[in-house]
DNA sequence: AGGCCCCTGCCTCTCCAGTGGCAGCCAGGA
DNA sequence: TCCTGGCTGCCACTGGAGAGGCAGGGGCCT
């Protein structure tokens, strides 16, 4: 199911959108202000963000910037402002679409579908194999020697981020941000504990990891 | 360079868009009708398509359908029709954005940038090669003779700054500022130590560096 | 009530960052 | 010709940050 993060402060509009999205099979998380939005984005990992630029606590531009850099999902901006500079600014700092109020519900939904469709192909390659274990990203399963390995939610989240960036280094901060949220960027000890657990469950020789590799001082890397 | 396929039958609009796109560094292919558009798309493989729905020979919807299925680049639709059903239809059969005429040139260009940006990551190849080693900026890896070279965080930061400015001189102050921060602009001895370490790890003959070159009294330069 | 997961605290160990000392090279001046 | 000063490269050393291992408690969900 597609998760939508709806950032909007007008209750009626939230209500209307929520109903429309729900009936079309979307899961909706609503945030009435920027702070809540950033928090929810970190904790719930939406597939797409619908963002009103006129929020009570922060400038919409700040919200976009707060999301971009670590979240790559599409952002569709809603705004009452028709001015060209506003649109250009929002699009250039990372928004994917800009819809001016008042808007037709049908059009917004179509733009949402288009944005989600374009973002989708990125999640291909749902199965990644190594010499000792197999990760099925879609099914959320890990097999080792034909047997299923049980991972806790946190363990799975970490493994998922690393596998999606297979071969690339993932910095400690970005890993912490993706799994625990922006407030935990400095808790590097969490990583040590959970990487050790993952290695115990997955590596043939946990003392000499071949797939879940530490880059001292920088981060971690998954190698197949 | 980004190649734009511009499908539009009004000569003035083609002219205006062509000039605007050219000056911004895009390569422009123009097609006045649907048949030409499909033909050009097949032969020239554009990176993005700007498509007017009102064409003399075919319905714009057919053009979108003719492109989609084998071409995955973004399609931005231009149209004089504001009706909601039109937009929904175009977006649902594969368009990525829908801009109604008359439109602001700035806005169209911003939407174009957003569409290209979203499609881009697939073809990024942040890899720089020299005769003796290879730097992969995205994966944060350095290969030498097929083997991976381990760099410490500081070593990597320095190498990254130099490689991103390949061929250009990087002043001692700016290098210190980028790696250690503004407070360290005078600690030129740091550079001597770490450049020596990098040369030992990467240069074929560290005593006679070919890629990490000192410009006495000025700074350092990376040459491939 | 029980189980399990998340997080913490402690210990050990590795190794990187930064320091200081010294030698080589070059250019300019005595 | 020799000396000197500035810049660079090389090496050894040390403090400390960061990494892993282990054990245990608190809290949430079932």
């Amino acid at each position: 199911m597609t998760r939508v993060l709806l950032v909007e402060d007008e209750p009626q509009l939230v209500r209307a959108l929520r109903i429309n999205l729900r009936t079309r099979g979307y899961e909706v998380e609503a945030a009435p202000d920027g702070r809540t939005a950033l928090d929810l984005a970190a904790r719930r990992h939406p597939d797409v963000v619908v963002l009103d630029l006129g929020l009570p606590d922060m400038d919409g531009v700040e919200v976009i910037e707060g999301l971009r850099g670590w979240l790559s999902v599409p952002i569709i901006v809603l705004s009452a402002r028709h001015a060209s500079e506003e649109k250009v600014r929002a699009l250039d700092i990372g928004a994917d679409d800009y819809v001016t109020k008042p808007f037709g519900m049908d059009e917004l939904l179509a733009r949402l579908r288009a944005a989600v469709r374009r973002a989708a192909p990125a999640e291909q390659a749902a199965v990644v194999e190594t010499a000792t274990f197999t990760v099925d990203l879609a099914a959320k399963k890990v097999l080792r020697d034909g047997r299923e390995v049980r991972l806790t939610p946190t363990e799975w989240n970490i493994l998922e981020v690393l596998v999606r960036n297979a071969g690339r280094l993932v910095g400690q901060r970005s890993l912490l941000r993706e799994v625990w949220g922006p407030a935990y960027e400095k808790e590097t000890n969490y990583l040590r504990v959970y990487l050790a657990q993952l290695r115990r469950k997955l590596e043939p020789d946990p003392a000499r990891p071949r797939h879940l590799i530490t880059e001292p001082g920088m981060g971690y890397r998954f190698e197949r």
Side-chain angles (χ1 to χ4, degrees), chain A:
Chain A
M1 184 154 32
T2 308
R3 260 196 307 282
V4 181
L5 173 59
L6 173 59
V7 191
E8 170 62 61
D9 60 328
E10 286 179 49
Q12 308 115 314
L13 189 49
V14 170
R15 191 155 169 279
L17 277 167
R18 193 197 282 274
I19 291 170
N20 266 289
L21 289 167
R22 279 262 174 84
T23 58
R24 278 162 184 82
Y26 294 93
E27 196 175 310
V28 181
E29 307 272 349
D33 55 57
R35 198 186 327 274
T36 315
L38 291 173
D39 184 46
L40 270 181
R43 289 194 293 119
R44 307 306 297 266
H45 295 277
D47 299 302
V48 56
V49 178
V50 176
L51 170 67
D52 190 332
L53 283 192
L55 294 174
D57 62 336
M58 314 169 51
D59 186 2
V61 168
E62 293 174 54
V63 181
I64 298 179
E65 284 171 343
L67 291 170
R68 276 285 173 266
W70 68 276
L71 191 68
S72 67
V73 302
I75 299 175
I76 298 177
V77 162
L78 300 181
S79 171
R81 308 191 56 173
H82 292 241
S84 176
E85 312 91 71
E86 279 294 315
K87 299 186 187 178
V88 171
R89 183 136 163 268
L91 290 168
D92 274 344
I93 60 171
D96 290 86
D97 204 341
Y98 189 106
V99 180
T100 51
K101 296 202 229 177
F103 55 85
M105 185 59 72
D106 290 344
E107 179 183 340
L108 177 66
L109 291 169
R111 287 185 180 275
L112 196 84
R113 283 193 293 274
V116 171
R117 168 175 16 103
R118 170 141 300 278
E123 322 197 13
Q124 276 173 358
V127 178
V128 178
E129 283 192 74
T130 73
T132 43
F133 59 92
T134 306
V135 182
D136 187 332
L137 291 170
K140 300 215 171 192
K141 269 186 187 172
V142 183
L143 294 179
R144 177 176 177 177
D145 307 327
R147 254 199 298 277
E148 192 176 333
V149 181
R150 251 184 61 72
L151 295 186
T152 71
T154 315
E155 286 164 6
W156 172 259
N157 287 336
I158 293 170
L159 184 63
E160 185 173 9
V161 173
L162 291 175
V163 168
R164 284 196 196 285
N165 293 285
R168 283 195 294 271
L169 175 92
V170 181
Q172 300 176 344
R173 317 189 118 227
S174 33
L175 194 49
L176 285 162
R177 204 169 24 191
E178 290 236 34
V179 176
W180 279 271
Y184 293 77
E185 280 188 358
K186 306 207 147 185
E187 311 285 346
T188 53
N189 48 320
Y190 293 14
L191 296 178
R192 290 202 280 276
V193 172
Y194 285 99
L195 262 294
Q197 280 175 2
L198 279 171
R199 284 181 185 136
R200 264 195 295 271
K201 291 186 178 181
L202 300 178
E203 289 278 0
D205 179 4
R208 259 174 247 98
R210 295 174 49 189
H211 306 110
L212 300 168
I213 297 166
T214 302
E215 298 284 353
M218 309 196 59
Y220 296 86
R221 180 203 310 279
F222 168 79
E223 290 282 8
R224 58 183 83 192

